[in-house]
Amino acid sequence: MLIRSKNKNEKIVMGLLSYTLDHSSTEEQKKLLEEYRNDPDKEIYLYKDDQSDNFVGIVTIERNHLDDASEDEIETILVPRIAVIPSFRNEGVGFSIYQNLRQLYPNATLIGSIKTSDLLARWSKRYHEAIDGVEEA
């Protein structure tokens, strides 16, 4: 389950963000966290594992609104950072994060950064194959 964590769980957020930064320092993590706190169109979500009840992943998003749309209408969501604790990798946590984002933002187009675009493409394909399989049944 994704939990909005813009202003809470700072130590957990900082620890998980460290997986998304090359040669990260505490100062760099704090600067990034502050950037997300101060921008209403940026969010940090922690992913909580249902079985262990621990936070095992993080995803950051940046909402891009349509120029002529209301505040609620979102055109695209950039996903610049995704990380999963190493011991939970290859267990479907990343795909679960993607599914949760699709549920939170069903009408938005999710796009990745240079670092996340391949993951999002794979998860999008898998997600749409599952939906198409359900619709055909």
Side-chain angles (χ1 to χ4, degrees):
M1 144 182 30
L2 284 182
I3 297 170
R4 184 174 278 136
S5 191
K6 191 176 227 177
N7 293 309
K8 48 188 168 175
N9 302 308
E10 184 171 308
K11 287 182 181 181
I12 295 168
V13 169
M14 297 255 306
L16 287 166
L17 277 178
S18 71
Y19 292 117
T20 71
L21 300 167
D22 297 330
H23 313 293
S24 73
S25 68
T26 303
E27 286 306 312
E28 186 179 1
Q29 292 169 6
K30 285 182 180 179
K31 183 179 175 185
L32 182 64
L33 187 56
E34 200 62 34
E35 179 183 320
Y36 274 83
R37 282 184 176 154
N38 294 327
D39 189 332
D41 287 325
K42 293 183 179 183
E43 290 291 343
I44 297 171
Y45 290 98
L46 291 172
Y47 182 79
K48 185 179 263 192
D49 180 57
D50 293 332
Q51 295 169 347
S52 70
D53 204 36
N54 293 322
F55 293 113
V56 298
I58 192 168
V59 61
T60 63
I61 66 160
E62 299 176 13
R63 292 183 291 265
N64 296 305
H65 299 274
L66 296 165
D67 289 336
D68 58 349
S70 71
E71 185 71 19
D72 294 335
E73 293 182 274
I74 300 170
E75 182 177 37
T76 59
I77 293 182
L78 173 65
V79 181
R81 300 174 188 286
I82 302 170
V84 175
I85 291 175
S87 61
F88 283 84
R89 291 180 185 161
N90 300 316
E91 294 184 15
V93 172
F95 182 64
S96 293
I97 290 172
Y98 179 84
Q99 288 176 303
N100 279 245
L101 283 176
R102 293 296 328 145
Q103 290 170 353
L104 285 172
Y105 304 101
N107 298 322
T109 301
L110 299 178
I111 58 172
S113 65
I114 291 172
K115 291 183 177 185
T116 63
S117 61
D118 288 344
L119 283 172
L120 287 176
R122 283 196 313 259
W123 293 333
S124 178
K125 181 180 179 193
R126 182 175 163 193
Y127 180 81
H128 289 289
E129 285 173 350
I131 288 176
D132 291 342
V134 169
E135 289 176 357
E136 293 173 8

